[in-house]
Amino acid sequence: MITKDGRFAYEAAGDPDATPLIFLHGIGGAARAWRQQLARFSTQFRAIAWDMPGYGRSAPLASVSIAALADALQQFIEQLGATKPILVGHSIGGMIVQKWLAQSPKLARAVVLAQTSPAFGKADGDWQKSFIAARLGPLDRGETMKSLAPSLVKELVGDDPDPKGMELARECMASVPEASYRAMMLALMGFNQRSTLKDISVPTLLLSGSKDNNAPATMMAKTATFIPSAEYVEMAGVGHLANLERPDAFDEALGRFLNSVATKT
């Protein structure tokens, strides 16, 4: 589906009048990475997954930053007419949600920050530089997203990932436009929302994987202590792609949280 303004492509399932549940994918993802979740949660919610700007059929942004992506998220929500949505942000999707919350603290019903971070350190830090170099270097040397997809996905996952989920992860990664991948990687540089964690006033679930090297569980557990109404869940043996590696376990953790939010509201 495409929004009325023609800017955003998305997939959706469920009653249009139900509470909106919006999924935001990571740098190597796509709306279709959430298909199992859309099917699973469409009985209770209007389950929606966007293609991030520059992905799928969504128009790219003129200039990419987390702030610009958060503005785009707000425009997407307005296009859908989605009031009081619950947002599930994975990886950079979780960073976009944090930035959006800082600008619109009262607009969400609840949020899930899945395998994400409140900061990406200094733009000129050594760790950040080597992180970017490791990911963009192969493209500079002539590799393509398609040729890199199998190794990129393999590096991201933990123990015994679901074979179907891995196939979908590779397919999503292979189809990311190189320009978008580069722009999103660079958008991470200098991201820092640590100071606004204390202001998150909606029910929040932080979901981590014990084998996640991109958003380590220890860091996510610490992040949870700064958010007033946060719940923290760690998934054992899981890497960075929980909803594709262990879709049933991911859905169970998310379902428990969504049920608790329903009883609170």
Side-chain angles (χ1 to χ4, degrees):
M1 289 184 249
I2 303 275
T3 50
K4 289 187 288 288
D5 63 359
R7 286 181 57 203
F8 303 101
Y10 65 101
E11 297 194 5
D15 181 348
D17 297 325
T19 299
L21 175 63
I22 301 175
F23 294 90
L24 295 93
H25 64 80
I27 286 180
R32 66 182 180 276
W34 297 107
R35 277 181 186 163
Q36 170 158 326
Q37 285 71 42
L38 296 187
R40 161 76 172 74
F41 294 102
S42 60
T43 53
Q44 294 164 276
F45 299 92
R46 173 66 167 163
I48 300 156
W50 79 346
D51 274 320
M52 190 159 50
Y55 285 63
R57 289 181 297 155
S58 289
L61 298 173
S63 173
V64 179
S65 65
I66 303 289
L69 289 160
D71 290 341
L73 173 60
Q74 178 56 29
Q75 288 148 16
F76 177 65
I77 289 168
E78 287 168 6
Q79 283 287 313
L80 295 175
T83 48
K84 281 296 210 186
I86 298 170
L87 289 103
V88 181
H90 171 251
S91 200
I92 199 174
M95 294 177 173
I96 296 167
V97 169
Q98 290 173 67
K99 190 76 177 170
W100 176 81
L101 273 177
Q103 298 163 356
S104 318
K106 300 275 186 272
L107 292 186
R109 186 173 306 231
V111 298
V112 178
L113 302 176
Q115 307 180 282
T116 189
S117 163
F120 197 74
K122 302 179 187 71
D124 55 356
D126 287 342
W127 183 86
Q128 288 77 12
K129 279 182 180 164
S130 65
F131 178 91
I132 298 293
R135 279 150 184 80
L136 299 189
L139 292 170
D140 295 337
R141 293 190 292 275
E143 294 269 10
T144 64
M145 290 305 296
K146 194 173 180 182
S147 69
L148 288 171
S151 59
L152 286 173
V153 169
K154 196 176 177 192
E155 281 166 27
L156 290 173
V157 301
D159 305 333
D160 305 319
D162 176 74
K164 271 196 191 144
M166 291 307 86
E167 198 179 318
L168 181 52
R170 288 189 293 271
E171 189 190 301
C172 289
M173 184 74 80
S175 68
V176 177
E178 184 182 319
S180 297
Y181 187 79
R182 287 177 178 275
M184 295 296 166
M185 279 290 171
L186 296 173
L188 297 174
M189 300 301 259
F191 171 74
N192 193 338
Q193 287 297 134
R194 284 195 187 101
S195 64
T196 60
L197 293 173
K198 66 184 187 312
D199 304 321
I200 296 177
S201 57
V202 298
T204 304
L205 170 65
L206 279 87
L207 196 56
S208 77
S210 69
K211 295 279 181 86
D212 187 346
N213 298 320
N214 284 15
T218 47
M219 176 275 296
M220 288 207 69
K222 188 180 174 189
T223 301
T225 66
F226 294 101
I227 300 174
S229 50
E231 186 185 325
Y232 173 73
V233 173
E234 185 174 316
M235 297 176 67
V238 173
H240 191 58
L241 305 177
N243 71 298
L244 294 169
E245 292 179 55
R246 304 275 178 88
D248 295 340
F250 180 90
D251 290 356
E252 195 182 319
L254 177 56
R256 276 198 305 271
F257 173 70
L258 293 173
N259 289 337
S260 76
V261 169
T263 54
K264 281 175 195 155
T265 51

